Amino acid sequence: MTQNIRKAIQFVHRGEVITLDAFSPRRTVLDWLREDMRLTGTKEGCAEGDCGACTAVVGRLKDGQLVYQPVNTCILLLGQLDGAELITVDDLAQDGVLHPVQAAMVAHHGSQCGFCTPGIVMSLFALYHEDMRPVTREAVCDALAGNLCRCTGYRPIIDAAMDACATGAADSFMAARATTQAGLAALAGPDDVLVGDESSFFAIPRSTDGLARLCLAQPDATLLAGATDVGLWLTKGLMELHKIIWLGRIEGFGAIEATADTLRIGAGASHADAHAHLAAIDPDLGEVIRRFGSAQVRASGTVGGNIANGSPIGDLAPCLIALGGTVELRRGAEVRTVPLEDFFIAYRKQDRRPSEFVAAVTVPKLRPGQQFRAFKVSKRFDEDISAVMGAFRLTVDGGHITEARIAFGGMAATPKRATRTEQALKGISLADEEGWRAAFDAIATEFQPLTDQRATASYRSIIARNLLLKALMEIAGSDGTRLVDRASTPHRHSGAAQRSPEPVAEPT
Amino acid sequence: MNIRSIPGSPLEPLRHVHQPLVHDSATRHVQGTAAYIDDLREPEGTLHIACGLSPVARGALKGMDLDAVRRFPGVVAVFTSADVPGSNDVSPSIGGDPMLAEGRVMFHGQVLFAVAATTRDAARRAARLAKVEIEAETPVVSVDDAGRDGEKVLPDYAFERGDIEAALAASPHRINGMFRIGGQEHFYLEGQAAFAIPKEDGEILVHSSTQHPTEVQHVVAKVLGLPDAFVICEVRRMGGGFGGKESQATQWAAIAALAAHKLKRPCKIRLDRDDDFATTGKRHDMRADYRIGFDDAGRITAYDVDYLTRCGCSADLSQGVVDRAMFHSDSSYWLPVTRINTRRLLTNTVSNTAFRGFGGPQGMLMAERMIDEIAWASGRDPLDVRYANLYREGEDITPYGQKVSELGTMHALIRQLEATADYRARRKDIAAFNAASRIIKRGLALTPVKFGISFTLKQLNQAGALVHVYQDGSIQLNHGGTEMGQGLYQKVAQVVAEEFGVDMARVRITATTTEKVPNTGPTAASSGTDLNARAALNAAMTIKARMADHAASLWNCAAGDISFRDDRVFHGNDSMGFGELSKKAHLDRVQLSATGFYATPGITWDRAAKKGSPFLYFSFGAACAEVEIDTLTGENRLRRVDILHDVGKSLNPAIDIGQIEGGFVQGMGWLTTEELVFDAKGKLLTHAPATYKIPVASDLPADFRVALFPNTNRADVVYASKAVGEPPVMLANAVFCALADAVHALAPGTRVPLDAPATPEAILRACEAVQGRAMGGER
């Protein structure tokens, strides 16, 4: 960061450009709203991005188009608003006239205690602005998966959403769309941002080279992607992070590039951005992403951040390992690529050196003869962290398995391959269920899982075995193995992916 | 009694009562302008409080080094038990709930001290800097740790009818078993919060998110050593309560009041969600050890059940909660010979408390397990076993001696649901599906609800109201009930507007405060409307009678010839506006303000004799649930739910349906995904929504059919309505029984050892068990 440094963040709020040049790098959007602005419509329910009471909507330009996405303001850092429009529940009614989603919520008796209601209204506001009509019940439930309501049982809220979204979006925000887009375009300049000083800052590099330089200069800074985990370090861990480098405005950092054989996902791509592309590889992969957190989490959280953070459970990592994915790491000008399974060294320890950052993840597509299955087992179906995540890629030739790649999350301190099972599967016939026994014997020896609040070790061990059985049965042609059919899961590609299902760039 | 509450009387149509009007705060809820405690504008100088919590579940508190806490920038004061001027106890009952720990710690997360600082952030950071010395002892965490004869918070208590041992010995068939029923975190979306503002001469105003303002007032006064009259507690609304703010909002109000009193500055406390989980009680989890005797017809001949209940570290409301589990141990079934024993065990865990249903759900769920056991053993459809055992004429006395009223309602409602849910045809379809499906199995269950309405602590069955009519004809309404989302304020306002014959807009709902209506009970036991609407109606009738007298004097007629409707007052063809009459009455010095009072008549309960009729009436309901399970993982989905529920003649059908659906889903969460996991040291591991999973939108059945059973309350209750808050929770028993039924499909005739909550793990464990495989590794 040697030149063109902006010393303030800028964002649009209520039609005005807000410029903030002094704030703690740890300040959350929610605290800024409630404490600094005294805008108390947005509520804190959990301060960890799980209940959605704090949901607001952030508008950003994606490929020149204004896209509205829901965010959990309790764990969104103030600096992450740079270049965006912020809309909260305080802003929807105009001159005492309720917004269509608000009016529908009233008409359908969608609030009882009312505390979750502002967040629900904002999630529905984002849904209302999606290019999806008609809105299905499944899509509504998906849009609401990150909003807990303890009073209503959700039925009237779902009805309100269906009602409000029965016709196309026609509100004051649509009317002001061109103005808003122009306003955001004016904030799209290429300047790096640094609020604070060398010892305490919120930095926003705008180019990958700039990021590389900044990481070298500030090896102890925290790299922040979506803040869906780092946010909790602050709100729950009360960690004193002084130096934060946010990766959300780096040109091209979230690019998704597809070739005939591979998909390269830039580290900055959100789960919402990547959803359609991953779903195109296999519907199970799409469903894993759909069940990833909530709409709010998928809008903020990134593929790169999920990998870099190295959760032992991380739903995506086992899938990408099974697919033979690699991670691209960069330090200064030096770029190296490691197989994803080797990136995870130990519990919360990754093969990432100081000043090095995850630049991209590359996933091989399925080749002819390859079949993929992924199963997430969690206490609650939506918006939960898996007890066990199993991912299977089997190569089948003439009814026999010629190659297997299997990875599990939740079974060890890191996402881990089941290599003995893979070996045992080689050459077996799919038609001969008795012959699968060697693989079941093998998988029983692979892992020593833990007992924790999500599951006991014995449950995890049985699940690992049973998911293998399920994958084999399905690939062998059985149906009736699932509660929700593989092809019929509700897909709702939120955000940019909804608007541009084609790859952003298609290099030759 | 208001004449219009007599069923069948020839009357003009009601304008407000029985109408599906929207919640009074709905338009504010959706705009974020409905204010909760933390939204109140803070006066200059407001301080924020955070608490230091015990990292140990049990032990002697040897010392606390709080220097670093005090030195932290922004900290103004730190309070320990030594700073309490009055009594350091926030118990709602017999004591044992220190506000700030004193001498010993009793559970992991117990409040040790409180920090007041200029910002909430500073208070939270400072609170973590304490050095606490606790001589840790091995905690008693579960009811199994405590054992049948472990330390108790209250003595054992039992209902007994007949000679249980003889009846069991004489029974043609006998089953013994053990059933674990989990607890539940309230997860009100607004966490515990209180804001105390010091006034003149030691007076203090406490805004509290509480279901029981009077108790907050009394406890704050006791803690500060002040007369009750010095303390005002006000609550406009809660962001959910569900029982979790009945007795356990008090501690936070008292801590805020202590700081405000000592520092003479406004002080606010709002618990972080993790702290709320750690420091506030849950639904009681229980272990039921049971013996059942039944005959060849599947009829119960003897039922012996011994509940080991985890009360936590103190009595709190456990007497009432566990008693209510006993009152509902019959579900809807005749128990000719029975012994219902309860052990109220002390554990080193947070003190368990009220939670919607108040013990009733645990009692009823065990009864449904008993029915399923008989069905599994006898090869009958569980619904037929239910029918065989329902209360009927001549077999209609509960184990505590009350005659079950409205047997006709109970039977008709269940029969109607059986028909509308198409139970028999679906039972056949499911059997066919299961025969053809190897991995996925479906289950079906139809279970009844019978819930007794009234507090079993007699003095709580009273309420007060205060109504003012102003000179412009606008009306202010106040009563002792609190609004936690259940629509109480709206229902009471509808009753008052109806009485005065005015537009709803004339009736201004005001915040509950001990300043206006004193000595109230908690808003609990589903009784909020029954009690407060009646009290408010009585106040309105008093004022209306005075206004009618005045109008009669103006028109020179009898007061009986005056009518109030359409926002006007009529005598024959003459009329005047309600506001006009208000003004005239005032000028003629007519008092336009009145209090109203109501005490539930006719209820009797002698706890020592274990006899009486503690309930004014029963609310009924039934649910039919169809589920499917994945027998490889235990995952499950709810395919369809049909509910038929009795709210008498609904005061507001929209609000009542909302209570039914919401209660059902909350009960479903309790019985499926909501699992409280403590480690061996007594620390709650499921400490926030990331690890504790309440239902989300997609957990609803795709096919969800809810209807009100056409009925009228035979008891003398406002406009023939019935209470609705708690009973729907127990509709979810159908989901649990359907899940067990699906497991049973794997091995018909086998007992299904499914415990609650039926998490995927619990279901898989049961699947393995019925197939003769032990999964091992139980927590």
Side-chain angles (χ1 to χ4, degrees):
Chain A
M1 283 201 294
T2 50
Q3 54 192 354
N4 296 334
I5 293 179
R6 179 153 49 89
K7 297 292 287 181
I9 61 163
Q10 295 179 316
F11 60 95
V12 175
H13 184 225
R14 301 183 156 182
E16 305 284 332
V17 174
I18 306 280
T19 301
L20 298 176
D21 60 2
F23 56 88
S24 161
R26 301 183 296 269
R27 192 83 175 145
T28 63
V29 173
L30 182 63
D31 285 347
W32 177 77
L33 280 168
R34 292 185 59 86
E35 294 180 2
D36 297 353
M37 302 301 288
R38 294 279 173 188
L39 291 170
T40 55
T42 310
K43 312 300 182 194
E44 179 184 307
C46 68
E48 62 176 29
D50 258 292
C51 81
C54 66
T55 302
V57 162
V58 162
R60 287 189 186 282
L61 295 183
K62 297 214 175 183
D63 308 319
Q65 291 297 304
L66 178 62
V67 176
Y68 285 136
Q69 290 184 301
V71 291
N72 288 314
T73 58
C74 67
I75 51 170
L76 189 76
L77 301 193
L78 187 53
Q80 293 179 270
L81 289 179
D82 190 54
E85 180 191 16
L86 174 67
I87 303 170
T88 76
V89 72
D90 310 278
D91 309 333
L92 297 201
Q94 307 278 336
D95 302 323
V97 179
L98 297 181
H99 185 275
V101 300
Q102 293 174 316
M105 281 287 286
V106 172
H108 288 273
H109 306 276
S111 71
Q112 286 183 23
C113 86
F115 200 84
C116 73
T117 311
I120 284 180
V121 164
M122 294 315 293
S123 282
L124 295 184
F125 174 84
L127 178 69
Y128 177 83
H129 281 272
E130 277 193 39
D131 290 343
M132 180 177 45
R133 295 294 188 276
V135 167
T136 62
R137 183 191 157 84
E138 289 74 19
V140 169
C141 288
D142 192 30
L144 290 173
N147 290 91
L148 302 179
C149 168
R150 195 52 150 165
C151 296
T152 64
Y154 302 100
R155 194 273 311 156
I157 298 171
I158 296 169
D159 287 353
M162 302 288 286
D163 190 359
C165 298
T167 55
D171 59 8
S172 62
F173 295 87
M174 289 301 286
R177 195 175 175 82
T179 313
T180 308
Q181 287 190 176
L184 292 179
L187 300 183
D191 294 349
D192 290 340
V193 180
L194 189 138
V195 180
D197 55 33
E198 291 288 310
S199 64
S200 174
F201 60 78
F202 192 96
I204 311 176
R206 307 299 302 284
S207 67
T208 310
D209 290 345
L211 169 64
R213 281 195 302 273
L214 192 55
C215 288
L216 285 175
Q218 297 283 355
D220 59 339
T222 300
L223 298 185
L224 179 76
T228 56
D229 195 37
V230 174
L232 276 73
W233 305 356
L234 302 174
T235 62
K236 299 294 177 179
L238 302 183
M239 274 177 69
E240 297 265 2
L241 301 181
H242 295 289
K243 301 175 175 183
I244 293 177
I245 302 171
W246 180 45
L247 313 175
R249 292 202 75 196
I250 299 170
E251 181 66 27
F253 200 60
I256 299 174
E257 299 160 9
T259 69
D261 301 328
T262 64
L263 183 68
R264 181 185 184 278
I265 302 169
S270 70
H271 295 104
D273 294 338
H275 186 177
H277 303 280
L278 289 167
I281 291 180
D282 187 87
D284 274 7
L285 194 51
E287 177 66 354
V288 167
I289 299 290
R290 190 200 67 73
R291 287 175 63 187
F292 202 108
S294 59
Q296 293 92 321
V297 168
R298 294 192 295 276
S300 292
T302 65
V303 171
N306 186 244
I307 298 299
N309 198 28
S311 161
I313 300 157
D315 291 341
L316 198 50
C319 293
L320 300 187
I321 290 171
L323 287 166
T326 56
V327 60
E328 190 181 307
L329 296 149
R330 177 169 168 181
R331 182 175 184 278
E334 183 191 338
V335 177
R336 65 188 178 111
T337 300
V338 292
L340 191 51
E341 67 218 70
D342 296 338
F343 179 66
F344 303 109
I345 298 170
Y347 179 70
R348 293 269 177 182
K349 182 166 162 48
Q350 292 80 252
D351 177 14
R352 187 164 68 87
R353 293 170 292 170
S355 299
E356 196 172 42
F357 60 90
V358 172
V361 178
T362 298
V363 193
K365 294 181 177 175
L366 295 173
R367 294 199 310 273
Q370 288 185 336
Q371 297 230 41
F372 181 79
R373 291 293 186 278
F375 306 104
K376 169 175 178 166
V377 179
S378 51
K379 227 177 256 183
R380 187 173 68 197
F381 197 74
D382 273 339
E383 211 217 3
D384 197 359
I385 294 169
S386 359
V388 176
M389 173 81 215
F392 306 82
R393 190 190 72 182
L394 303 185
T395 309
V396 181
D397 187 9
H400 288 76
I401 294 171
T402 57
E403 193 214 6
R405 281 181 70 92
I406 299 173
F408 282 93
M411 294 297 290
T414 62
K416 194 162 174 281
R417 271 177 78 178
T419 49
R420 289 174 209 158
T421 311
E422 292 173 359
Q423 286 303 316
L425 282 170
K426 261 189 192 167
I428 68 158
S429 164
L430 282 173
D432 173 23
E433 199 172 321
E434 283 300 305
W436 302 352
R437 187 163 310 231
F440 297 135
D441 291 343
I443 204 165
T445 68
E446 299 265 13
F447 304 105
Q448 286 78 45
L450 291 177
T451 290
D452 66 9
Q453 66 274 14
R454 295 199 172 84
T456 63
S458 51
Y459 177 65
R460 288 190 157 110
S461 294
I462 293 180
I463 291 299
R465 175 195 180 280
N466 285 358
L467 294 184
L468 173 64
L469 170 62
K470 193 183 283 254
L472 289 169
M473 284 179 69
E474 288 192 0
I475 291 170
S478 295
D479 52 15
T481 55
R482 297 189 181 208
L483 297 171
V484 181
D485 291 344
R486 184 168 135 80
S488 74
T489 51
H491 280 283
R492 173 178 147 274
H493 306 308
S494 54
Q498 158 77 10
R499 283 172 178 75
S500 45
E502 293 306 307
V504 175
E506 189 92 45
T508 50
Chain B
M1 175 171 168
N2 188 298
I3 188 168
R4 282 176 302 194
S5 65
I6 297 172
S9 61
L11 298 162
E12 61 188 82
L14 299 172
R15 308 297 165 98
H16 308 304
V17 165
H18 306 319
Q19 302 301 312
L21 306 183
V22 298
H23 191 287
D24 64 280
S25 294
T27 58
R28 277 166 278 162
H29 289 155
V30 299
Q31 298 179 86
T33 54
Y36 305 83
I37 303 275
D38 197 42
D39 301 336
L40 301 176
R41 189 87 189 184
E42 294 157 7
E44 180 276 325
T46 295
L47 298 174
H48 301 262
I49 299 173
C51 295
L53 309 183
S54 173
V56 168
R58 174 181 173 142
L61 180 56
K62 293 298 197 187
M64 291 191 284
D65 176 356
L66 301 172
D67 286 353
V69 182
R70 288 197 180 88
R71 280 200 309 270
F72 192 83
V75 169
V76 173
V78 180
F79 299 101
T80 68
S81 59
D83 299 305
V84 179
S87 160
N88 178 35
D89 186 72
V90 292
S91 169
S93 52
I94 60 169
D97 292 302
M99 179 175 75
L100 302 170
E102 205 173 339
R104 288 189 61 76
V105 292
M106 308 184 298
F107 67 97
H108 192 287
Q110 183 177 353
V111 179
L112 303 176
F113 62 91
V115 188
T118 50
T119 67
R120 184 167 177 267
D121 186 61
R124 289 182 69 206
R125 286 175 193 280
R128 296 193 186 186
L129 300 177
K131 294 191 187 74
V132 181
E133 195 192 334
I134 300 171
E135 210 168 82
E137 300 161 13
T138 304
V140 176
V141 178
S142 66
V143 293
D144 301 293
D145 291 347
R148 303 171 77 87
D149 299 308
E151 200 179 340
K152 311 284 169 65
V153 298
L154 291 162
D156 296 355
Y157 184 60
F159 294 157
E160 286 167 87
R161 174 158 64 193
D163 182 341
I164 188 69
E165 297 301 337
L168 278 167
S171 294
H173 308 279
R174 282 183 296 277
I175 294 172
N176 297 353
M178 181 201 288
F179 183 34
R180 294 179 187 281
I181 301 171
Q184 187 176 25
E185 158 63 33
H186 302 82
F187 206 84
Y188 27 66
L189 262 284
E190 180 207 26
Q192 301 277 358
F195 191 7
I197 300 166
K199 305 287 212 189
E200 192 173 302
D201 196 26
E203 288 174 9
I204 194 157
L205 165 65
V206 184
H207 296 275
S208 168
S209 184
T210 178
Q211 294 170 238
H212 200 346
T214 287
E215 189 163 281
V216 167
Q217 176 200 18
H218 293 176
V219 169
V220 165
K222 195 174 68 175
V223 165
L224 299 184
L226 296 171
D228 291 344
F230 275 55
V231 182
I232 301 161
C233 178
E234 176 172 324
V235 52
R236 172 59 184 83
R237 61 172 63 78
M238 283 161 272
F242 315 114
K245 296 171 181 173
E246 182 174 344
S247 66
Q248 298 204 0
T250 310
Q251 184 174 12
W252 321 109
I255 287 171
L258 171 69
H261 182 75
K262 288 267 185 179
L263 301 172
K264 311 247 182 296
R265 289 172 73 167
C267 289
K268 180 159 76 174
I269 185 167
R270 172 172 66 82
L271 296 190
D272 177 72
R273 181 60 64 178
D274 286 60
D275 292 350
D276 197 309
F277 266 74
T279 58
T280 64
K282 325 289 176 204
R283 190 187 292 287
H284 292 58
D285 59 285
M286 300 188 183
R287 186 182 106 192
D289 296 348
Y290 59 89
R291 295 186 295 165
I292 307 164
F294 60 98
D295 64 18
D296 292 335
R299 300 205 68 203
I300 300 158
T301 48
Y303 177 40
D304 181 29
V305 62
D306 190 10
Y307 285 101
L308 281 66
T309 67
R310 173 151 67 180
C311 296
C313 63
S314 70
D316 185 77
L317 300 173
S318 288
Q319 175 171 310
V321 170
V322 180
D323 283 5
R324 190 167 276 265
M326 299 167 67
F327 285 120
H328 290 82
S329 287
D330 57 348
S331 182
S332 297
Y333 311 117
W334 162 243
L335 304 174
V337 179
T338 187
R339 176 170 62 197
I340 299 160
N341 189 45
T342 52
R343 300 168 195 265
R344 295 129 198 261
L345 298 166
L346 186 149
T347 52
N348 296 114
T349 51
V350 64
S351 191
N352 283 331
T353 192
F355 195 138
R356 199 175 190 177
F358 207 70
Q362 296 94 317
M364 285 177 58
L365 186 68
M366 175 58 231
E368 303 308 341
R369 163 54 53 91
M370 165 171 57
I371 296 290
D372 286 346
E373 285 271 25
I374 296 170
W376 298 327
S378 65
R380 288 185 171 79
D381 187 315
L383 181 57
D384 292 330
V385 180
R386 292 194 159 87
Y387 278 129
N389 287 287
L390 282 185
Y391 280 113
R392 68 191 75 190
E393 288 298 337
E395 296 179 342
D396 55 0
I397 306 297
T398 63
Y400 49 91
Q402 178 159 4
K403 187 175 162 72
V404 179
S405 57
E406 285 195 68
L407 287 172
T409 300
M410 176 195 286
H411 284 261
L413 190 153
I414 297 168
R415 290 281 177 196
Q416 186 175 325
L417 185 69
E418 180 194 343
T420 55
D422 206 14
Y423 179 90
R424 301 290 170 177
R426 286 165 68 202
R427 172 60 76 193
K428 284 202 183 90
D429 292 348
I430 285 168
F433 174 90
N434 286 339
S437 176
R438 174 178 161 192
I439 305 297
I440 308 298
K441 298 289 181 189
R442 291 183 181 161
L444 183 70
L446 193 160
T447 59
V449 170
K450 165 188 125 292
F451 195 77
I453 303 299
S454 291
F455 286 97
T456 54
L457 196 58
K458 191 173 172 184
Q459 70 266 29
L460 299 181
N461 296 292
Q462 60 176 315
L466 178 63
V467 174
H468 305 314
V469 174
Y470 291 92
Q471 294 174 49
D472 64 352
S474 63
I475 300 167
Q476 242 183 35
L477 166 61
N478 198 275
H479 52 78
T482 57
E483 176 63 37
M484 60 195 103
Q486 82 280 42
L488 170 66
Y489 278 11
Q490 175 65 30
K491 283 182 169 179
V492 177
Q494 285 177 222
V495 168
V496 168
E498 191 72 54
E499 183 60 26
F500 281 119
V502 298
D503 287 348
M504 287 298 300
R506 274 195 193 276
V507 181
R508 186 66 197 165
I509 292 165
T510 56
T512 309
T513 168
T514 56
E515 237 179 347
K516 289 186 179 169
V517 178
N519 305 323
T520 55
T523 307
S526 307
S527 65
T529 305
D530 288 9
L531 297 174
N532 293 288
R534 261 321 249 288
L537 181 59
N538 288 340
M541 288 168 74
T542 300
I543 299 171
K544 184 178 153 184
R546 293 179 195 147
M547 291 177 76
D549 283 344
H550 185 66
S553 73
L554 293 176
W555 274 313
N556 235 339
C557 63
D561 295 333
I562 303 292
S563 65
F564 290 68
R565 60 187 151 88
D566 300 335
D567 217 33
R568 297 185 71 78
V569 183
F570 290 86
H571 170 244
N573 290 330
D574 293 333
S575 75
M576 72 176 93
F578 184 83
E580 191 183 346
L581 177 60
S582 306
K583 181 76 180 174
K584 287 181 195 294
H586 169 72
L587 292 175
D588 201 42
R589 300 186 298 175
V590 174
Q591 188 189 6
L592 295 177
S593 173
T595 59
F597 185 77
Y598 175 72
T600 311
I603 47 177
T604 59
W605 177 240
D606 183 339
R607 190 171 187 272
K610 306 171 182 183
K611 285 288 173 236
S613 290
F615 303 120
L616 182 61
Y617 60 93
F618 293 97
S619 285
F620 298 98
C624 180
E626 180 179 336
V627 301
E628 63 183 2
I629 64 170
D630 181 332
T631 59
L632 291 180
T633 61
E635 294 164 288
N636 55 90
R637 301 295 276 169
L638 196 45
R639 287 170 53 80
R640 174 175 162 183
V641 171
D642 294 65
I643 288 172
L644 191 56
H645 199 80
D646 160 36
V647 293
K649 199 160 161 46
S650 172
L651 275 182
N652 181 322
I655 285 173
D656 285 347
I657 291 273
Q659 288 297 297
I660 293 164
E661 292 176 342
F664 166 77
V665 170
Q666 198 171 67
M668 182 185 88
W670 167 54
L671 293 174
T672 56
T673 56
E674 296 185 34
E675 185 178 28
L676 292 165
V677 181
F678 291 85
D679 70 12
K681 292 181 171 173
K683 181 182 179 185
L684 179 64
L685 300 178
T686 47
H687 55 84
T691 45
Y692 184 79
K693 311 311 281 189
I694 73 167
V696 294
S698 63
D699 293 319
L700 278 207
D703 190 350
F704 192 23
R705 309 179 192 193
V706 180
L708 299 180
F709 181 75
N711 199 18
T712 185
N713 197 345
R714 279 76 157 176
D716 178 11
V717 176
V718 64
Y719 287 102
S721 65
K722 283 191 179 181
V724 70
E726 293 165 292
V729 169
M730 285 145 279
L731 295 167
N733 289 349
V735 175
F736 185 84
C737 291
L739 288 166
D741 187 57
V743 175
H744 185 248
L746 277 171
T750 310
R751 296 172 67 184
V752 179
L754 178 64
D755 284 331
T759 58
E761 174 160 354
I763 291 169
L764 188 71
R765 190 177 295 280
C767 287
E768 295 289 294
V770 299
Q771 296 174 99
R773 299 191 291 262
M775 196 164 104
E778 248 180 298
R779 278 201 187 85

